[in-house]
Amino acid sequence: MVSSNEEKRLYAEYLKDLESLKKVKKQKKAVGQVFAKGILPLYVLYILSNKPTNGNDIAHVIGIRTNGRWIPSTGGIYPILNKFEKQKFIEGKWDDSEKKMQKIYTITESGKVELEERKSLLKGRIEDACEVFKIVYSDLYIK
């Protein structure tokens, strides 16, 4: 016979597993729109895993890394940062608490875990997107 405490523990474990499955299912739906919903949030976490910075600098770093081919607007970056901050994936602190000049974001331990999960979930989709672009480019410009 299972004790009441054991039942509670097993139920709590079940709920945790269920939540994890829901998260994976939700993220798999989101990876359908790889570029807008997948790559930018993933890349934001990646950049923050290298060093703390602000939203403007994140856009600048992406511009440098892509040789100016992709410079996302801060209007696309700051909502991601706000969402990640609410989810505790990152922590934002004002560089000057009185003037609130700029908020510097730092990735948290749960953010590092999230980064690895997103990388794993999106790897195949990104590879597929690259192949699709190669085919489309070839069809349009090489044939």
Side-chain angles (χ1 to χ4, degrees):
M1 190 159 132
V2 179
S3 71
S4 174
N5 286 340
E6 182 66 9
E7 277 183 12
K8 288 178 184 174
R9 186 191 68 75
L10 289 171
Y11 184 67
E13 193 173 296
Y14 162 78
L15 289 177
K16 183 179 175 186
D17 289 344
L18 185 62
E19 191 60 36
S20 179
L21 288 172
K22 286 180 182 176
K23 181 179 179 182
V24 167
K25 186 176 179 183
K26 182 179 176 186
Q27 286 181 340
K28 282 187 177 179
K29 282 183 183 176
V31 296
Q33 296 177 341
V34 176
F35 207 75
K37 290 192 176 185
I39 291 179
L40 184 56
L42 173 61
Y43 215 36
V44 166
L45 283 175
Y46 169 75
I47 290 166
L48 290 174
S49 74
N50 293 319
K51 72 172 193 169
T53 192
N54 64 55
N56 290 334
D57 285 344
I58 290 170
H60 183 71
V61 167
I62 293 171
I64 290 171
R65 293 290 306 135
T66 62
N67 294 318
R69 291 182 180 103
W70 179 34
I71 304 171
S73 74
T74 55
I77 291 176
Y78 279 104
I80 292 168
L81 292 171
N82 290 333
K83 180 179 178 185
F84 284 166
E85 194 170 18
K86 286 177 186 170
Q87 294 172 316
K88 308 283 190 221
F89 296 152
I90 62 173
E91 183 180 304
K93 291 186 179 176
W94 293 103
D95 64 341
D96 182 336
S97 59
E98 289 179 22
K99 294 181 183 174
K100 295 187 177 182
M101 296 292 286
Q102 63 181 345
K103 206 171 195 182
I104 305 298
Y105 296 93
T106 305
I107 194 167
T108 63
E109 286 305 313
S110 63
K112 291 175 185 176
V113 169
E114 182 69 14
L115 170 61
E116 292 308 313
E117 287 178 6
R118 284 177 184 245
K119 280 174 58 177
S120 176
L121 282 170
L122 285 170
K123 184 178 181 193
R125 298 286 188 168
I126 293 171
E127 289 169 343
D128 289 347
C130 289
E131 287 304 311
V132 168
F133 280 118
K134 285 180 189 175
I135 293 166
V136 169
Y137 181 84
S138 175
D139 286 349
L140 294 174
Y141 302 106
I142 296 177
K143 278 192 169 184

